[in-house]
Every structure is written in C-alpha cells, then in structure tokens.
Amino acid sequence: MAQISLSRRLRRTPFSDGVEAAGVKGYTVYNRMLLATVFESVEADYRHLKNHVQVWDVSCERQVELRGPDAARLMQMLTPRDLRRMLPGQCFYVPIVDETGGMLNDPVAVKLSEDRWWISIADSDLLLWVKGIANGYRLDVLVDEPDVSPLAIQGPKADDLLARVFGDRVRDIRFFKFDKFEFEGRELAIARSGYSKQGGFEIYVEGSDIGMPLWNALFAAGEDLLVRAGCPNLIERIEGGLLSYGNDMTDDNTPHECGLGKFCNTHTAIGCIGRDALLRVAKEGPVQQIRPIAIDGDAVPPCDRPWPIVAGGKRIGQITSAAWSPDFGTNVSIGMVKLSHWEPGTRIEIETPDGMRGATVREKFWI
Amino acid sequence: MAQISLSRRLRRTPFSDGVEAAGVKGYTVYNRMLLATVFESVEADYRHLKNHVQVWDVSCERQVELRGPDAARLMQMLTPRDLRRMLPGQCFYVPIVDETGGMLNDPVAVKLSEDRWWISIADSDLLLWVKGIANGYRLDVLVDEPDVSPLAIQGPKADDLLARVFGDRVRDIRFFKFDKFEFEGRELAIARSGYSKQGGFEIYVEGSDIGMPLWNALFAAGEDLLVRAGCPNLIERIEGGLLSYGNDMTDDNTPHECGLGKFCNTHTAIGCIGRDALLRVAKEGPVQQIRPIAIDGDAVPPCDRPWPIVAGGKRIGQITSAAWSPDFGTNVSIGMVKLSHWEPGTRIEIETPDGMRGATVREKFWI
C-alpha cells in the first residue's frame, strides 16, 4: 500500500494534532483536507463505534457561508428541496443540482437566520459553484468559507459524553435541529446529526483556536465512557445506507437515481436552477437507481473503483462501495442498478478484482 | 507515516495500472484524483529526471472544456491575461481570479479553435466556477470535463523518446505551442510544456482506452534511454520556481502577490470578472510577494503546513514549500514575504518543526 505524501495543499485541521496523537493509521483526502479513515482497524473501530462513543474530526465538511439579503434566495436556487418552511435552528439534507439536474453535492444546509446560512458540504468545491452563481446573477450576498470545523460525537454514549461538557440541555436537541452552547466563552452550534446510524451530534467549532481545547475536554470527560478518536466507518455507513458523494454518486447522477427523490419538491422549489431538468426527470422516472446489495462469499477486497454488475452477460450497473460486515455476516454494498434488475430479491453478478461473485438486490439497507 | 485509503472518490487514471506496476511508493490527491509523488525516492527520482527522461501520469490536470459561440468571451471573463492575440495551437499560462482578484487556479489555457478551449487546471474544482459563471451570465457555451488525461514526458531525452513514437516532427513544437499527432488512429494534441525545468512535452490523451497502449509504447521505445515512470519532483520544482496552487498560493492571494503580474494585462483584459479589483491592486502594488528563500543548515523536515517567517520577533511571512537540494547544497524553499523584508539578501528566520533556522531571501530561483 502506498503512503500519503503530506503537503500544505492537503490541509490539516484544528484537530490534526489530536488525530495524530491518537495513532491514525490511514487517511483519505476530502475537500482538499485530511480525513482519517482508520485508527485501530476498520473492524475494531466499527465495533467500538457501535458500543461506546467516538470523537470524529470531520473538519473536511467545510462550510459555505451565505450572508446577506439574497442568502435565502440563493440557497433555494441551489436545491430542488423546498426551503420555504425551514426555520432558523433547523438542518436540512439538500441535494444540490446544476442546470441539467446533475448532483454537485449532497450537503446539510444549516439555517442560522433568514440572511445567514451554512452549507456543510460533501466532497466537491461547492464554494466555487455558489460563488459563480452569486456573481453571475449579481446577488446581494457574501459567499465565503468561514473558520468553522465540524467535530462529530457519534455512538450510543454520545448524549452522556456531550452532557458532561455542555450540560444536560444537549439531550433536548432533536434530530436535525441545532442549538447554541457555550465553550470557553464562545457560542457553538451543536446539531443532532452525523454520518453514522449510532446517534450523536455535530459541533460546528467556530474558531480554530478552540479546536484542541475542546478535543481535550471531550477526552478528559469521557475516559470512563471509553471515548476514542474515530472517523466515518466504511462498514457502518454502508450498513446504514449513508451515501458518499464521489463514491456512490457524481454529477452524472440525478437525485432521483440516488434515491433522493423524497428531498426534491421540484414543483414548489421555485428558483432552483435545475428545476426544469428535474421536472422532466421526475415525470419520466429514473432508469437506474441506488440499491443495497448483499454480495455472496468471503470478505471482498477494497472497492477502489466501480465494479461492474452483470446479468445475462450484460452490464446492468456498478458497485461503488463494499465491505465485509461482521454483524450481518455478509458483504454489504451500495450499487447503481438498472430498472430491469432493481427489484428486491433479484440475483445479479458482480465483477470483483477476485473474480465473479453472486449477489442479491435488497429492499432496505441493513441498519 | 499514514497510508492512503483508496476509494472511487480518489479517482484512478487511464495510466494507474502502469504507475502501480512501476512501483509507486507515495501518492497525493490532486483534483480528487491520484497523483504519484515518489517512485524510488524523491532524491533518486530527481537525479534521474535531470539526466534521462520520465513519463508522468498527470491526468489530475483535468481539463475544463469550453465549447460554443461564447467560449472565447467566457475564457476572457476568467483571467486578467489579454487573450485577444492568442491563436489556435497556443497554450497560455493564465491566472484565474474571482471578483476580489483572489486566485482560483493557475492553469494553462489551450486554444483548440475560436469556439473550443481546454483549461488544464491546477488543484481546485475550477469546473464549478466556470459552470456557475456560464449559467449566471446565460452564456451560449457548453462547459464540461472531457475524457482527456495529460501524460507528461520530461527530462533532457524527452525529444528523443517522443520522436521515436510520434516522429521527428515533435522536435519542431515550440515552447507553449502544440500540434496534432497520430497514435493508433487517434489525433492527439502534444504541447511543449510541463511542470519541470528539464524540458519536455505534455500529451493530451483523449480517450481513456488508449492510455495504457500509449504508456506501453513509450516504455518499449525508450528502454535504452533509461525511461522511467516519474512524477512532479518536489526538489526540482522548487529549484525551478514552479508554484503549486494550494501550497504556495490560495484564493487569499492576488496574482501580483504570486509574482504573476506579468501575466496580468488588466487594462486591456476587458470583461475579466476580477478586473476592477486587480486595477486597484496593480495601482497600489502588493504588500507581500512570493520569493525564493535559501534555508540554512541540514535538510529540513517535510513542509506539510506553513512555517512562519520571522524577523525582529514579528511574523513577516511564511514558507509553504521546502526541500533539501543535493545539487545546490542548501534547502530550497518558496515563501510569501512582506514588503519590508523581500529584498534579495535579506536575512530572516524560519520557524521549522525542528526549531529556528536562519535563511536568506534570494533574487532568483535556482534553475
């Protein structure tokens, strides 16, 4: 396996010193920033995440801040989700599409106030698209990347850990809502959200200087909870059907192909740049869609490129994320499958680097 | 050192099989694509590059294609370099700026015809900015990433190697010009350019399917020239003053701060989005600028974050790229230095991870 060559271009985070001290073994690069992928081992990290609580440096979920009179209008131009009823204090998962309906990102929009929003982005320089649109349409809005680095607290003991640092009021935060809490004299937004199905929070750490103090406070408070440094876990996120932009979908895909039609209110999302294209897509329906797929046999090798899905000698899709699941005793995976073969129970074949494997299309993800 | 965790999101290239077979030891990620950083060792790769010829997989220099009646107008909106006299067959190094004059990229523009251009980009998703501008200004142009992957041939024997595969006509290509050559029935643009000072070419490989056939043809033809797989070399590019977007400059910097004022014809670049901002910058002049800096003492450690430059107890800049140069017997580096200390010969101090080092501002880069 090749090593990663570090440089300023692969940006460090306010928590990198903590991640390194915790013995990070693998990195990926996400939004041109370092993101840990493994500490003890992917399986050991998975087991720990499901039983205890982890602190994840997800600074790479960079924020795109919209500020000014046209902020809400611009936000609605970006997404087919209808944002009219969204209130300050809410987080919305929003597909972002271009004029062809192709997905540019699948971030979480955070409404701070009517004229101030954060977009907590997946892996694409969405800032450049938003700046280009704001400039081209001459909108009255400032678009920038603020000094905000999310820190996720994930796992069944997340409430207990966070209550010790921020007080019991954190237990009252509802799913995809946020509230403000104080740390060292600073007001921080904390949302009940995160890229796992084990429950937990994301702290929007505003100001790099309080990154390590907060990191250290969390570890000091959680020693008896067996808190550990962690990171988004490949196995758990596939079990939970959490899609990864750039892996499971790209700008070649519409939200409908990604199973995100429920986040598209295309008829009422007036102003959305991709609206005309998506109205056509919604009418005709997608001809391929993301599905959970169980792959037969022993643990598959790492999936570092799309694996063709075949049936009757023809390519009918591709697998884009796959891992062995200890809890379910099968290989869990995410694939894009053509209409002809996407019904639950359909038997298909996967071209893995180790050879052909039988597989089954499932109705639901595992967790 | 941490390993890199591979996934589809870190895109492979048409040449990845060749890069792996050649024994790549380190990777970075550039435009969400794998880029090799070391084969034998950075020093051994450097020595070989200066004496022989290397084939570099620089697919990560993705192309942004502009096609349509407004292509030339859009290209001029992106850059303060005056493009009116640029002819088809020419390549121009062009700073790309936003409305504040901040650098978004420093690519090479390739003019295929009046209504068809490629922008061969450095490390930022420039595609999204260009698409956003094209959409916002309702320009009549298609903006897309074509299936084009540059392959660089660099080193003193580059002409000899390429002539064996494409014929002696390649020797006639002038610096930053390109011509068309045939390979397996396909027309490929070959430019005399590349990210080293050792001379050579960049082949714009159109069509992933001919990637490995071309790679193999080059290695078969160049055995007695001692051709090797290579990659942009950290030491050589610092010696040569080749800047790295994301390392040596970001969107916080103007072209003038980066010493790229000579590529800004801001008065005549009518239509450039950053024109007003840059006219102010050009009038007042930058207050900090990139400089070559020789750092005293033994080899410095890898520079993975900005190192403060100090003088008289005050921070007056930062080092962003640094390496030990065997040929010059000193640490070569690139830094951004304030006006007060940027004169050649000025003695400054660098805060390296190993402690303080003396250093000298130089007039010119080493090669």
Side-chain angles (χ1 to χ4, degrees):
Chain A
M1 267 273 269
Q3 291 194 324
I4 189 165
S5 293
L6 300 177
S7 68
R8 180 195 183 197
R9 200 170 43 73
L10 311 188
R11 299 179 285 177
R12 292 171 63 82
T13 85
F15 316 108
S16 287
D17 289 346
V19 167
E20 283 166 6
V24 60
K25 286 185 183 154
Y27 276 122
T28 186
V29 177
Y30 196 100
N31 283 324
R32 308 174 196 285
M33 194 168 243
L34 294 172
L35 171 63
T37 53
V38 54
F39 285 87
E40 188 180 343
S41 72
V42 176
E43 286 205 12
D45 295 352
Y46 160 88
R47 180 61 50 223
H48 180 269
L49 169 64
K50 287 190 168 184
N51 287 308
H52 304 290
V53 58
Q54 297 183 348
V55 177
W56 296 1
D57 172 9
V58 286
S59 301
C60 65
E61 296 170 3
R62 304 310 297 159
Q63 306 305 302
V64 176
E65 180 168 292
L66 315 184
R67 206 152 28 99
D70 283 336
R73 178 180 165 209
L74 174 56
M75 191 67 231
Q76 186 66 79
M77 290 173 76
L78 303 175
T79 180
R81 188 160 177 185
D82 187 342
L83 304 177
R84 284 175 302 170
R85 290 185 186 175
M86 187 174 176
L87 300 172
Q90 286 188 317
C91 307
F92 272 22
Y93 178 66
V94 288
I96 305 284
V97 297
D98 65 17
E99 72 284 357
T100 70
M103 299 239 342
L104 297 183
N105 206 290
D106 69 325
V108 172
V110 179
K111 184 169 182 175
L112 298 161
S113 65
E114 201 54 48
D115 57 4
R116 186 160 174 244
W117 300 64
W118 284 338
I119 315 176
S120 192
I121 63 173
D123 188 32
S124 77
D125 289 341
L126 190 67
L127 178 66
L128 291 176
W129 170 252
V130 182
K131 274 169 62 112
I133 293 297
N135 184 285
Y137 286 90
R138 303 181 180 284
L139 301 183
D140 189 3
V141 61
L142 288 170
V143 181
D144 229 321
E145 181 183 297
D147 179 16
V148 174
S149 297
L151 188 66
I153 315 299
Q154 300 286 300
K157 302 180 190 167
D159 279 65
D160 292 339
L161 175 59
L162 222 57
R164 293 183 187 181
V165 175
F166 292 98
D168 273 325
R169 194 164 54 90
V170 299
R171 301 183 191 274
D172 301 331
I173 306 171
R174 283 179 299 150
F175 188 62
F176 263 57
K177 300 278 193 306
F178 70 88
D179 206 344
K180 294 291 187 84
F181 294 83
E182 201 182 292
F183 181 79
E184 296 199 348
R186 221 76 70 79
E187 286 261 290
L188 302 180
I190 300 182
R192 192 177 290 274
S193 57
Y195 197 60
S196 89
K197 286 286 182 96
Q198 305 309 311
F201 303 90
E202 286 174 305
I203 310 171
Y204 290 83
V205 181
E206 213 170 340
S208 292
D209 58 312
I210 59 167
M212 283 310 298
L214 176 58
W215 176 279
N216 290 330
L218 287 162
F219 280 87
E223 216 171 315
D224 62 302
L225 300 175
L226 305 180
V227 61
R228 280 197 201 169
C231 51
N233 184 274
L234 179 67
I235 309 167
E236 200 268 352
R237 77 122 178 128
I238 300 175
E239 288 177 352
L242 298 171
L243 306 183
S244 165
Y245 185 77
N247 283 317
D248 304 316
M249 68 272 205
T250 71
D251 60 1
D252 281 337
N253 302 115
T254 64
H256 300 271
E257 289 178 343
C258 305
L260 304 178
K262 60 180 171 289
F263 300 108
C264 299
N265 320 103
T266 314
H267 280 282
T268 59
I270 309 297
C272 168
I273 286 169
R275 188 163 174 264
D276 290 348
L278 286 183
L279 285 172
R280 282 193 300 277
V281 166
K283 200 174 165 192
E284 294 162 12
V287 297
Q288 59 177 356
Q289 203 165 50
I290 280 178
R291 286 287 182 274
I293 294 165
I295 304 177
D296 303 347
D298 295 341
V300 289
C303 183
D304 66 352
R305 67 201 86 176
W307 293 342
I309 305 178
V310 293
K314 282 179 64 180
R315 181 167 176 151
I316 51 104
Q318 59 184 20
I319 298 290
T320 48
S321 296
W324 174 259
S325 162
D327 280 358
F328 294 95
T330 186
N331 292 294
V332 294
S333 80
I334 300 176
M336 184 73 75
V337 188
K338 286 200 177 145
L339 174 62
S340 54
H341 291 77
W342 75 26
E343 281 305 309
T346 307
R347 287 290 293 171
I348 53 181
E349 282 194 295
I350 316 294
E351 258 182 67
T352 76
D354 287 358
M356 298 300 292
R357 296 277 186 110
T360 305
V361 177
R362 286 171 55 92
E363 185 178 358
K364 288 187 172 174
F365 282 94
W366 288 263
I367 57 177
Chain B
M1 266 274 269
Q3 291 192 324
I4 188 164
S5 294
L6 300 177
S7 67
R8 179 194 184 199
R9 200 168 45 70
L10 311 188
R11 299 180 286 176
R12 292 171 64 81
T13 85
F15 316 107
S16 287
D17 290 346
V19 167
E20 284 166 5
V24 60
K25 286 185 184 153
Y27 275 122
T28 185
V29 177
Y30 196 99
N31 283 323
R32 308 174 197 284
M33 193 168 245
L34 294 172
L35 171 62
T37 52
V38 55
F39 285 87
E40 188 181 341
S41 72
V42 176
E43 286 205 10
D45 294 353
Y46 160 88
R47 181 61 51 222
H48 179 269
L49 170 65
K50 288 191 168 184
N51 287 308
H52 304 290
V53 57
Q54 297 183 346
V55 177
W56 295 0
D57 172 8
V58 285
S59 301
C60 65
E61 295 170 3
R62 303 310 297 159
Q63 306 305 301
V64 176
E65 180 169 291
L66 315 183
R67 206 153 27 99
D70 283 336
R73 179 181 164 207
L74 175 55
M75 191 67 232
Q76 186 65 79
M77 290 173 76
L78 303 175
T79 180
R81 188 160 176 186
D82 187 342
L83 304 177
R84 283 176 302 168
R85 289 186 186 173
M86 186 175 178
L87 300 170
Q90 286 188 317
C91 307
F92 272 23
Y93 178 66
V94 287
I96 305 284
V97 296
D98 65 16
E99 73 284 358
T100 70
M103 299 245 336
L104 298 182
N105 206 288
D106 69 325
V108 172
V110 179
K111 184 169 181 175
L112 299 161
S113 65
E114 202 54 48
D115 57 3
R116 187 160 173 245
W117 300 65
W118 284 339
I119 314 176
S120 193
I121 64 173
D123 188 34
S124 78
D125 290 341
L126 190 68
L127 178 66
L128 292 176
W129 170 252
V130 182
K131 275 168 63 114
I133 293 297
N135 185 284
Y137 286 91
R138 304 181 179 286
L139 301 183
D140 189 3
V141 61
L142 288 169
V143 181
D144 228 322
E145 181 182 297
D147 179 16
V148 173
S149 297
L151 189 65
I153 316 299
Q154 301 285 300
K157 302 179 188 167
D159 279 67
D160 293 340
L161 175 59
L162 221 58
R164 292 183 186 180
V165 175
F166 291 97
D168 272 326
R169 193 164 53 89
V170 297
R171 301 183 191 273
D172 301 332
I173 306 171
R174 283 179 298 151
F175 188 62
F176 263 56
K177 300 279 193 306
F178 70 88
D179 206 344
K180 294 289 186 83
F181 294 83
E182 202 182 292
F183 181 78
E184 296 198 347
R186 221 78 68 79
E187 286 261 292
L188 302 180
I190 301 183
R192 191 177 291 274
S193 57
Y195 196 61
S196 89
K197 287 285 182 95
Q198 305 309 310
F201 303 90
E202 286 174 303
I203 310 171
Y204 290 85
V205 181
E206 213 171 339
S208 292
D209 57 312
I210 59 165
M212 282 311 297
L214 175 58
W215 176 278
N216 290 330
L218 288 162
F219 281 87
E223 217 171 315
D224 62 303
L225 300 175
L226 305 180
V227 62
R228 279 198 202 169
C231 51
N233 184 274
L234 179 67
I235 309 167
E236 200 269 350
R237 77 123 178 126
I238 299 175
E239 289 178 350
L242 297 171
L243 305 183
S244 165
Y245 186 77
N247 282 318
D248 303 315
M249 68 271 205
T250 71
D251 59 1
D252 281 337
N253 302 117
T254 64
H256 301 270
E257 290 178 342
C258 305
L260 304 177
K262 59 180 172 288
F263 300 108
C264 299
N265 319 103
T266 312
H267 280 282
T268 60
I270 308 297
C272 168
I273 286 170
R275 189 164 173 262
D276 289 349
L278 287 184
L279 285 173
R280 281 194 300 277
V281 166
K283 199 173 164 192
E284 293 163 15
V287 295
Q288 58 177 358
Q289 202 165 50
I290 281 178
R291 285 289 181 273
I293 293 165
I295 305 177
D296 302 348
D298 296 340
V300 290
C303 182
D304 66 351
R305 67 200 86 175
W307 294 342
I309 304 178
V310 292
K314 282 180 64 182
R315 182 169 175 148
I316 51 104
Q318 58 185 19
I319 298 291
T320 48
S321 297
W324 174 258
S325 162
D327 280 358
F328 295 95
T330 185
N331 292 293
V332 294
S333 80
I334 300 175
M336 184 73 76
V337 188
K338 285 200 179 148
L339 175 62
S340 55
H341 291 77
W342 76 25
E343 282 303 310
T346 307
R347 288 291 295 171
I348 53 180
E349 282 195 296
I350 316 294
E351 256 183 69
T352 77
D354 287 0
M356 298 301 290
R357 296 276 187 111
T360 305
V361 176
R362 285 172 56 92
E363 184 179 357
K364 289 188 172 172
F365 282 94
W366 290 262
I367 58 177

